[in-house]
Amino acid sequence: MHKKLSVIEDVIEKVKIKDAGQPEFLQAVEEVLTTLEPTVNKHPEFVKAKIYERIVIPDRAILFRVPWVDDAGEVQVNRGFRIEFNNAIGPYKGGLRFHPSVNLGILKFLGFEQIFKNALTTLPMGGGKGGSDFDPKGKSDDEVMRFCQAFMSELFRHIGPDRDVPAGDIGVGGREIGYLYGYYKKIVNEHTGVLTGKGLEYGGSLIRPEATGYGTVYFAAEMLATRKQDFNGKRVTVSGSGNVSQYAIEKVNELGGKVITASDSNGTIVDEAGIDSKKLEYLLDLKNNRRGRIKEYADKYNTKYYEGKSPWDVVRDEGIKIDIALPCATQNELDVTHAEGLVKAGCYCVSEGANMPSDLSAIKVYQENNFLYGPAKAANAGGVAVSGLEMSQNSMRLMWSREEVDAKLLGIMKSIHKTCLDTAESYGRNGDYLTGANIGGFIKVANAMLDYGIV
Ligand code: NDP
Ligand code: 2IT
């Protein structure tokens, strides 16, 4: 006899079958839905309206061809995507990722997570995500421009300031947003807030570039404060060296911590003296202007460099002592061996700047070892939150000061932290930020869906 599946187990089983071949999406669904189990008894109305079944299916997924011509005159073809996952509480909102690994399943995982993250920000934004398997690495500015124009020549018909508002993610920064927005503006002939992460001269918000990294550190600081601790004098590992990592490092330095690692897809540097503000300036120029590799940092500052290893490999294999881990590169950076490595290293706090950087086995280790664990959808929500503030400023046709936006960002991160803790407590899961974040984000979206009836 088969055991009768719970409502949640049943949805997960269906996703396993119907979305086979999308492992990252299944992982995200499992991570969120298993923590929603206690909401089933409390909310029979959600069960009746089949909210759990409905929320794992996107409103729509748009797939398109992106043909462009490279500098050698050769035709190139990439795949373009936009997943409009859920707009129950506001227009679809979420980044665009340009990376060769991009596929439908990865963007569905990101779009699904975005629904709950955006709900946590307190701002009215639905969940979406998009991108392409285009690889910006090694491409000239002209090639990136032509690709962005080709990509926007299809995307434009699906987006709009009240409909779907994309932004950056891996491989999409200020340069790409400029090309994408410039082309949108030309073909639609409207200057509206249809993308966020725009340049300051044409509608961008102060603090948007900094927001994700700063927010991740603000969230960690809030978690540390619950144990009467702070960043002062702490040893911190950061992975990645892109947008999120750069501003996480800056904020850790401001709060008196010492960041000893940074990485890219080729390897990891370990700088025992810490990546101070001067070295960070070098790193920003290396990554944002010269688009070089992290190894050059090791050559310049005569630090250790581990080719082909992530910071989590290095911590695990080299026995480096650390207090706080900030994974800021990509999904599934940390597995169970890395998490056990963190425990051995003396680490007790993980705040996720990247999306889903810890796999389910790593999360289990954090939980068993009573880590302060800030899951991505809470800890990195600062980026999209300031995107939401960029939308507000565009609608009002004004611009807030750095101090104003930073204060709002800090307030939002504190509010998310409180929502996580209060929600976890109300479900008898004190200190469980994962459950708090998932249920906190879900309830808001589910209630809105309920109000709409069956649509
Ligand atoms: P960037 O493209 O600016 O930087 C990404 C960094 O991570 C680079 O150092 C890159 O190395 C490294 N990286 C990317 N993919 C891999 C991989 N497969 N293996 C090893 N290293 C990798 O992206 P962001 O900083 O914007 O994004 C980083 C993470 O943060 C992502 O998970 C993103 O989804 C998340 N995030 C971003 C937000 C934002 O506002 N930008 C908001 C919230 C979350 P290399 O250059 O060698 O590829
Ligand atoms: O994962 C994310 O939250 C982002 N890449 C930012 C999305 C946004 O719309 O600013």
Side-chain angles (χ1 to χ4, degrees), residues 93-95 114 117-118 129 165-169 196 208 355 380 383-384 387:
K93 181 82 197 87
Q114 199 83 42
K117 182 196 308 195
N118 292 4
K129 199 86 187 189
V165 183
D169 193 78
T196 59
R208 177 62 189 88
N355 284 306
N380 73 33
V384 75
S387 278

Side-chain angles (χ1 to χ4, degrees), residues 7 10-11 14 43-57 442 446 449-450 453-455:
V7 170
D10 187 52
V11 175
K14 277 201 188 112
H43 294 279
E45 69 280 16
F46 293 166
V47 177
K48 185 158 183 287
K50 298 240 159 75
I51 299 290
Y52 303 95
E53 281 88 337
R54 285 157 60 193
I55 209 159
V56 299
I57 303 174
F442 170 74
M449 287 172 73
L450 208 58
I454 307 304
V455 287

Side-chain angles (χ1 to χ4, degrees), residues 210-221 224 230-239 243-261 271 273-277 280 322-328 349-351 353:
E210 293 89 341
T212 312
Y214 279 15
T216 300
V217 175
Y218 288 151
F219 195 86
L224 290 168
D230 58 33
F231 268 95
N232 209 14
K234 298 296 184 320
R235 286 166 63 85
V236 182
T237 39
V238 168
S239 63
N243 172 264
V244 180
S245 314
Q246 292 168 8
Y247 290 102
I249 295 172
E250 182 170 282
K251 189 51 80 176
V252 171
N253 285 343
E254 257 180 54
L255 299 183
K258 190 199 266 189
V259 177
I260 56 167
T261 63
D271 186 346
I275 305 173
D276 61 21
S277 59
L280 181 60
I322 59 156
D323 301 297
I324 298 161
L326 306 176
C328 297
C349 176
V350 177
S351 188

Side-chain angles (χ1 to χ4, degrees), residues 215-373:
T216 300
V217 175
Y218 288 151
F219 195 86
E222 286 299 303
M223 293 197 294
L224 290 168
T226 65
R227 294 190 190 167
K228 303 206 172 359
Q229 293 193 34
D230 58 33
F231 268 95
N232 209 14
K234 298 296 184 320
R235 286 166 63 85
V236 182
T237 39
V238 168
S239 63
S241 49
N243 172 264
V244 180
S245 314
Q246 292 168 8
Y247 290 102
I249 295 172
E250 182 170 282
K251 189 51 80 176
V252 171
N253 285 343
E254 257 180 54
L255 299 183
K258 190 199 266 189
V259 177
I260 56 167
T261 63
S263 66
D264 62 22
S265 51
N266 288 94
T268 292
I269 60 110
V270 176
D271 186 346
E272 276 295 334
I275 305 173
D276 61 21
S277 59
K278 209 160 168 283
K279 294 174 186 169
L280 181 60
E281 212 177 292
Y282 171 83
L283 185 70
L284 260 68
D285 180 54
L286 172 69
K287 286 291 170 185
N288 304 347
N289 303 326
R290 294 194 286 119
R291 298 183 190 271
R293 309 311 298 160
I294 197 79
K295 182 174 185 305
E296 290 178 50
Y297 179 103
D299 296 340
K300 171 144 176 98
Y301 293 110
N302 199 21
T303 67
K304 286 195 175 141
Y305 174 68
Y306 297 87
E307 176 76 23
K309 286 198 167 198
S310 74
W312 322 116
D313 296 336
V314 175
V315 167
R316 180 194 59 200
D317 301 342
E318 306 293 326
I320 295 168
K321 290 278 160 229
I322 59 156
D323 301 297
I324 298 161
L326 306 176
C328 297
T330 193
Q331 66 272 0
N332 292 329
E333 297 176 48
L334 292 125
D335 65 17
V336 62
T337 68
H338 298 120
E340 281 164 358
L342 291 181
V343 175
K344 277 217 186 83
C347 175
Y348 50 85
C349 176
V350 177
S351 188
E352 296 182 331
N355 284 306
M356 206 168 77
S358 311
D359 74 12
L360 294 169
S361 69
I363 295 173
K364 199 157 166 269
V365 175
Y366 307 153
Q367 288 171 334
E368 285 165 359
N369 288 277
N370 196 27
F371 273 35
L372 292 165
Y373 168 53

